Amino acid sequence: MITRYIIVSRFNSDIGLSQEYHITDSLTEKWIAYRMEIFNRFTRKSLEFQTNQEFLCLLTFHPDSTDIIQKELLKYPPLPSNIVFTSDKKSLIENYILNADQLYLSNLDSDDMYHPKFIQFLHDHKVQSDKPLLIYKNGYIFNTNTGIINNYYCQSPPFFTEVFDVKDYLSYAMYYPPLAHGYMEYFAHETILDPMFIVILHNRNTWPNYRYHVAQVFQDQQVLGNWQEILKEYLLI
Amino acid sequence: MTNELTHIMQQISADPKTYNHFEKQLETLEPKFYLLKYFILPSLIHQTNTNFKCFIEYPHEAETLFHFFLLNYGLIPNHIQIAPCHYIPLNLSAKNYISSLILSDTENILLIKWDPFFIYSLHLIEYLHQYPFSGNEKVILFDKGAMLNLNTGQLSQKNLPIFNGMAYLCSKREYQRYLTIYEQFHPFTPSTFKNFPKIVLRDISYLLLSGQNSDLNLNTLNNNTKDELKEFIKLL
């Protein structure tokens, strides 16, 4: 059985979703430059240093911002061939899964990080046929301004993997409009409890309420005894 | 390919703020009862092929009024079920029916969007039964319509180029995995399915019903209009 692993990250392709969070400037040079810097500092690391590189990561951008994206990408070292900014996700996925039997499609916000062994975990994990969705509910949250990290639990976070027979993906799943991650828990799923991600807090997170939701990472003392170990594990120090 | 035809009718809604006031509720629903009585139900009952199920949903707050309506309407055949909908689209009997299809050897389910303000040709179901679906079609659009103004009794020219009628061909696996969840968050509308492969069928017409008049006597319409309406409803 041939299996393909794809991580999809909506960089600024989903204007409708951005506007739900009152982000109206995601096509501007200022917004793109800022988020490109965050991507390169954090998310990129989590992709480049995956212990298993057998995957494709697609960062989807809005076609109206093609010129700015290309200009910003030139400011950073070239991306490896399996990490691609694109405005044409559909054809790249179709091409990548050609002749494959199974597809693991993971979601990642373009300012967050998966554990470096995430892809290897997917290779090793046996998915239950009646629960073709893995939701990673445990991880960490890291405030880049204070340097403080803490445990983070979310009932239906933006970290999940949908598993498809390729023929199902091509015949219907690829056409469905993406649902906000909060709805994913309503689908039949397996909860993965091993910590698998870091939510990165920076100056312009999409969700503005972290300050109240995870107040401890906005204070001035580390919360976890093994904080250095975790940051090392995620290549953050 | 084993197909089952299922009509999912959108909720017949009334303004929630008026639910607690019987008279206002009646006022809101009266035009809808008129449409149900003279158009929707006859159109469903007199389909030339009745091998399908139709689930008509209404807000559970209006249950008493619907009971009165149904008592006065008379016998409704088994393939048409009218039941309250509690908060989520698809009432329980529709869900149970589709669950039974999933357990059976049905491969595909054809969900037909049938809004409370339009009806299809009486040949719709027969046409869909005969249509050679390959299984690759997803969204089926009907783009040939006419409009009947209930205030004036005027029938517009036919072939109005507007997409209002649609059906969705859904495999059993897809329904189980996706659609049961999606329909809770995305209403079953053409915009939900804008990216899906589509076919447009021009052999089936639909009739849009506009206006709020509940007194229009169909038998007093002029003969030309009555002739045109024969495709949609059986006039006395």
Side-chain angles (χ1 to χ4, degrees), chain A residues 44-61:
Chain A
R44 175 178 180 156
K45 255 188 211 170
S46 118
L47 299 167
E48 273 188 317
F49 293 97
Q50 283 294 319
T51 56
N52 186 329
Q53 285 292 314
E54 200 186 300
F55 70 96
L56 173 69
C57 177
L58 299 176
L59 293 117
T60 60
F61 62 83

Side-chain angles (χ1 to χ4, degrees), chain B residues 101-102 104-108 170-176:
Chain B
L101 292 182
I102 284 169
S104 73
D105 60 356
T106 302
E107 288 169 30
N108 291 289
C170 179
S171 72
K172 183 159 75 172
R173 284 161 66 88
E174 174 182 354
Y175 191 86
Q176 270 178 305

Side-chain angles (χ1 to χ4, degrees), chain A residues 158-176:
Chain A
F159 305 93
F160 57 86
T161 302
E162 292 178 275
V163 183
F164 299 103
D165 284 350
V166 163
K167 63 177 175 18
D168 285 347
Y169 181 77
L170 293 173
S171 68
Y172 65 84
M174 67 188 287
Y175 300 113
Y176 275 85

Side-chain angles (χ1 to χ4, degrees), chain A residues 132-133 162-165 167-168 171-179 183 186-188, chain B residues 136 138 168 170-171 173-174 177-179 181-182 184-186 191-193 195-197:
Chain A
L133 167 65
E162 292 178 275
V163 183
F164 299 103
D165 284 350
K167 63 177 175 18
D168 285 347
S171 68
Y172 65 84
M174 67 188 287
Y175 300 113
Y176 275 85
L179 283 175
Y183 294 123
Y186 295 102
F187 292 86
Chain B
N136 294 324
K138 299 302 295 176
Y168 185 71
C170 179
S171 72
R173 284 161 66 88
E174 174 182 354
R177 173 155 184 183
Y178 261 67
L179 207 56
I181 308 296
Y182 260 85
Q184 292 182 35
F185 308 116
H186 277 285
S191 69
T192 311
F193 298 105
N195 295 324
F196 288 71

Side-chain angles (χ1 to χ4, degrees), chain B residues 39 79 95 104 109-110 160 163 185 196:
Chain B
F39 293 95
H79 66 274
K95 279 194 175 300
S104 73
I109 302 167
L110 192 63
L160 283 177
F163 291 103
F185 308 116
F196 288 71

Side-chain angles (χ1 to χ4, degrees), chain B residues 24 58 96 158 224:
Chain B
K24 278 197 176 176
Y58 60 83
N96 287 341
K158 291 178 82 179
N224 283 347

